């Protein structure tokens, strides 16, 4: 963190520098951040500006704040059990009016990471479906689906709305999935798809779905705008 002057709002300067250090890995999960008094002295700003910076970082899920103790870098891994829903259905249940857009649908050789997720060999043929969801005039999330070949299913017939409904109609609905959620910064190509600036924070969800025979059938990467999406997790005491 440099403390250099900027034309941006004072709190945004502090937020951006801490955010960059977190997303670059310079600050690790569990690291304590400088105190409010230290940041006030470093940047020559008011307590209000420092607190606003921490509030924004907390809203993005990048820090955890502890009253009377300070703030630490939050873990970028979340593990939770929840009903298995397609993203479109999940977003609609959250109250979003979404509009799906089909960007591409073609067969291609599986890259190494895709092959590992689908228990295939690198270079094996997979179907790659690219989609984007809009909310109003803004793109909200784009999705890369990679699907293992399945007898009797022509993925070229998929038109872009609900992939799980498409699979269910062909008796191929996945029965369970494993998902990882992490914070990322957007590349230029990813930012262009979401119509935001390169390098801003986003949420990456990677899901591997399995059929009744326990074999992986789908690997999907969802990249969601960090300023428009958050996770709500209800916790209950076991007592």
């Amino acid at each position: 963190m440099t403390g250099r002057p900027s034309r941006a709002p004072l709190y945004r300067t502090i937020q951006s520098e801490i955010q960059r250090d977190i997303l670059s890995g310079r600050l690790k999960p569990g690291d304590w951040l400088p105190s409010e008094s230290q940041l006030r002295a470093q940047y020559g700003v008011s307590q209000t500006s420092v607190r606003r910076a921490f509030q924004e970082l907390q809203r993005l899920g990048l820090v955890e704040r502890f009253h009377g103790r300070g703030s630490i870098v939050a873990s970028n891994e979340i593990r939770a059990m929840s009903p298995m829903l397609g993203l479109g259905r999940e977003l609609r249940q959250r109250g979003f009016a979404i509009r799906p857009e089909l960007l591409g649908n073609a067969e291609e050789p599986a890259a190494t990471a895709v092959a590992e997720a689908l228990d295939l060999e690198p270079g094996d043929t997979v179907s790659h479906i690219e989609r984007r969801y809009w909310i109003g005039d803004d793109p909200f999330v784009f999705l890369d689906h990679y699907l293992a070949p399945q007898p009797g299913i022509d993925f070229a017939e998929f038109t872009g709305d609900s992939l799980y409904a498409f699979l269910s109609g062909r008796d191929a609905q996945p029965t369970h999935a494993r998902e990882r959620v992490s914070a990322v910064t957007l590349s230029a190509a990813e930012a262009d798809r979401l119509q935001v600036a390169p390098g801003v924070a986003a949420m990456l969800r990677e899901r591997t779905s399995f059929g009744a025979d326990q074999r992986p059938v789908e690997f999907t990467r969802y990249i969601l705008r960090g300023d428009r999406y958050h996770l709500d997790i209800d916790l209950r005491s076991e007592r």
Side-chain angles (χ1 to χ4, degrees):
M1 292 175 282
T2 63
R4 291 176 295 180
S6 169
R7 294 182 180 179
L10 296 175
Y11 82 87
R12 187 70 73 185
T13 299
I14 302 170
Q15 174 197 339
S16 297
E17 294 197 3
I18 295 175
Q19 182 172 322
R20 183 181 63 241
D21 287 346
I22 292 173
L23 297 179
S24 69
R26 182 175 178 272
L27 290 172
K28 308 293 185 185
D31 284 352
W32 286 95
L33 297 175
S35 67
E36 291 185 4
S37 59
Q38 289 174 320
L39 290 173
R40 288 202 309 271
Q42 179 179 346
Y43 288 91
V45 298
S46 68
Q47 186 176 35
T48 299
S49 294
V50 173
R51 287 186 174 174
R52 176 68 185 277
F54 277 124
Q55 288 169 356
E56 291 298 312
L57 291 165
Q58 185 178 33
R59 182 181 65 82
L60 293 172
L62 296 176
V63 306
E64 296 180 63
R65 304 175 71 192
F66 300 92
H67 181 69
R69 297 173 57 197
S71 300
I72 65 170
V73 179
S75 170
N76 65 354
E77 295 188 357
I78 300 173
R79 293 180 180 267
M81 296 297 292
S82 62
M84 183 176 168
L85 303 174
L87 182 62
R89 182 179 173 188
E90 175 189 324
L91 294 174
R92 290 184 177 107
Q93 286 191 358
R94 284 170 167 256
F96 293 103
I98 64 171
R99 174 169 57 88
E101 176 188 12
L102 182 64
L103 300 175
N105 186 347
E107 292 185 341
E108 64 182 46
T112 299
V114 173
E116 289 178 354
L118 293 176
D119 196 20
L120 300 172
E121 294 295 327
D124 284 354
T125 298
V126 295
S127 294
H128 180 195
I129 297 173
E130 301 171 87
R131 295 194 293 160
R132 179 165 52 185
Y133 286 159
W134 294 72
I135 296 179
D137 296 327
D138 296 321
F140 176 72
V141 55
F142 70 85
L143 312 89
D144 284 300
H145 305 278
Y146 300 92
L147 298 123
Q150 296 194 49
I153 297 182
D154 182 2
F155 290 108
E157 296 175 352
F158 177 67
T159 58
D161 191 3
S162 170
L163 180 59
Y164 281 3
F166 174 85
L167 293 171
S168 179
R170 290 155 178 80
D171 295 323
Q173 170 78 29
T175 60
H176 61 288
R178 182 173 59 247
E179 186 166 309
R180 175 180 290 270
V181 182
S182 55
V184 295
T185 53
L186 295 175
S187 67
E190 293 166 341
D192 182 64
R193 285 186 171 187
L194 291 178
Q195 298 182 6
V196 295
V200 303
M203 182 176 292
L204 169 65
R205 294 174 57 176
E206 295 178 297
R207 175 182 293 189
T208 304
S209 301
F210 301 84
D213 60 359
Q214 307 303 312
R215 293 185 60 82
V217 296
E218 172 214 10
F219 173 64
T220 294
R221 299 179 80 252
Y222 313 86
I223 297 187
L224 305 104
R225 285 178 52 163
D227 61 339
R228 299 291 300 273
Y229 185 81
H230 63 274
L231 283 175
D232 290 321
I233 301 176
D234 291 328
L235 304 176
R236 297 183 181 182
S237 171
E238 294 182 351
R239 298 174 58 184

